[in-house]
Amino acid sequence: MTTFRVADRYTMDPGGRFRTDGDFSGEDFRETHVLELVEAAIEDGTTVIFNFDGVTGMPTSFLEEAFGGMVRARPDWTEEQVSTALKIEAPASKKLWPFVQFANDAVAKAFRKRR
Amino acid sequence: MWGWFLDKAAGGLLVGVILALLGSYLIPRINEHYRGRREHLNKAVDALRSQIEDIICLSVEYWTSKRTDEFASKEAVLNYKLNDIATLTQICATEIWTKQDSVGPVLVGKLIGAVVTDQFGVPKRPADPSRVPEILSAAQALADAIASSRHDYFGKRINWSLWAPGGTRP
């Protein structure tokens, strides 16, 4: 199991949706970290945990593009594979819990749109 | 006589006086503390209810119109209010905010998703009134959960048998 602490290894201030919106966008996060780590987790049969404790916020457009966009970018990944390989959390940050739920829902919605 | 009095009663009287003075100092302050806390929570619930109503009105107006550049300010307000709802729910409904996937965070997450996902913020997106039922449903579910949580909160602190025949909760 791998834990990727976003605040330490990427940014404390996640940005907008696209790279054109500025630094630390959801698109950039997806392309530089999410796809690679989730792919490795799927291949190894393990789990990668994206931990958002310590960030100042979890912008919804960032989350949707990072994680919903992951599903769109990899049409060969199944929902079962992703649900095993990917975990999003912020256990120490109570105010971020709804946004963790939003990120999980964004992944589920992206899969529903495929069908 | 005075020696007998001092020996038998003065000690107890002194302790009683000290306890009475202590009580007269502490009890009003404790009451004030809990009353202040209760008023603060009640105001937070009122603010939360108001924010949920605002979210419904603003997001229905947002999604039933084609997006123009001026909508950026509406998006900022919607995002602010959603964050405020998350904070206020955490304060008001602690019974449903115990862990990451408990009812409170899940329902607030669903409301956030109903309002800001998909084409939210995308330039020139068309009107999408099909979003409205999901928004209303998510807002209602959250409001119901908060009301139940508050009811349960007070329910644990009230002996219902004093209020209802047969001792059953109303």
Side-chain angles (χ1 to χ4, degrees):
Chain A
M1 194 176 288
T2 310
T3 300
F4 184 96
R5 284 187 55 89
V6 176
D8 296 337
R9 296 178 61 183
Y10 186 66
T11 181
M12 285 178 62
D13 296 303
R17 182 183 283 271
F18 300 118
R19 280 174 164 144
T20 48
D21 295 327
D23 294 334
F24 307 116
S25 64
E27 179 185 14
D28 182 73
F29 185 56
R30 180 188 71 237
E31 296 298 322
T32 56
H33 296 289
V34 174
L35 288 174
E36 177 191 334
L37 288 169
V38 174
E39 187 166 49
I42 289 173
E43 282 174 7
D44 297 341
T46 57
T47 303
V48 58
I49 300 171
F50 288 95
N51 181 301
F52 282 85
D53 284 328
V55 299
T56 55
M58 292 170 76
T60 52
S61 49
F62 171 95
L63 295 171
E64 206 290 323
E65 190 59 34
F67 297 107
M70 171 200 71
V71 174
R72 293 187 289 274
R74 291 290 184 270
D76 51 317
W77 291 354
T78 66
E79 195 165 4
E80 289 73 32
Q81 284 177 316
V82 171
S83 67
T84 304
L86 171 67
K87 193 166 182 285
I88 304 164
E89 67 173 27
S93 310
K94 284 187 172 186
K95 68 168 190 169
L96 296 181
W97 291 350
F99 299 94
V100 170
Q101 296 303 321
F102 171 84
N104 290 325
D105 287 347
V107 172
K109 269 189 182 170
F111 276 112
R112 274 202 301 275
K113 283 195 169 178
R114 263 197 207 171
R115 298 183 202 127
Chain B
M1 184 180 83
W2 286 111
W4 175 88
F5 174 76
L6 287 171
D7 188 38
K8 298 288 183 193
L13 275 176
L14 187 62
V15 169
V17 166
I18 290 171
L19 285 175
L21 286 171
L22 206 59
S24 66
Y25 176 79
L26 283 177
I27 289 172
R29 279 162 180 75
I30 292 170
N31 271 340
E32 193 59 34
H33 167 77
Y34 282 105
R35 188 160 63 93
R37 188 167 178 274
R38 198 166 51 245
E39 280 174 8
H40 169 71
L41 277 175
N42 286 339
K43 282 184 180 160
V45 169
D46 290 341
L48 177 54
R49 198 173 287 127
S50 173
Q51 289 290 45
I52 293 176
E53 286 171 9
D54 284 354
I55 276 286
I56 292 171
C57 295
L58 289 170
S59 55
V60 167
E61 184 189 318
Y62 180 84
W63 285 107
T64 53
S65 310
K66 180 181 170 182
R67 188 187 184 277
T68 61
D69 290 342
E70 291 75 34
F71 274 46
S73 59
K74 293 182 199 275
E75 285 150 11
V77 171
L78 282 168
N79 273 313
Y80 167 76
K81 285 186 181 287
L82 286 168
N83 270 286
D84 205 32
I85 285 172
T87 303
L88 288 169
T89 307
Q90 183 197 334
I91 292 169
C92 300
T94 53
E95 314 273 317
I96 58 172
W97 206 280
T98 51
K99 50 188 175 127
Q100 189 171 274
D101 57 355
S102 51
V103 170
V106 166
L107 291 179
V108 174
K110 288 210 183 299
L111 178 61
I112 292 170
V115 176
V116 302
T117 199
D118 289 338
Q119 299 276 299
F120 186 81
V122 174
K124 296 189 176 59
R125 61 128 184 94
D128 188 3
S130 69
R131 300 288 292 259
V132 172
E134 187 186 352
I135 293 167
L136 294 177
S137 173
Q140 188 64 62
L142 177 61
D144 288 349
I146 292 163
S148 294
S149 167
R150 297 293 293 166
H151 186 264
D152 288 346
Y153 174 85
F154 285 111
K156 284 179 189 168
R157 287 154 178 80
I158 296 173
N159 182 351
W160 290 107
S161 65
L162 296 176
W163 297 97
T168 55
R169 279 177 69 170

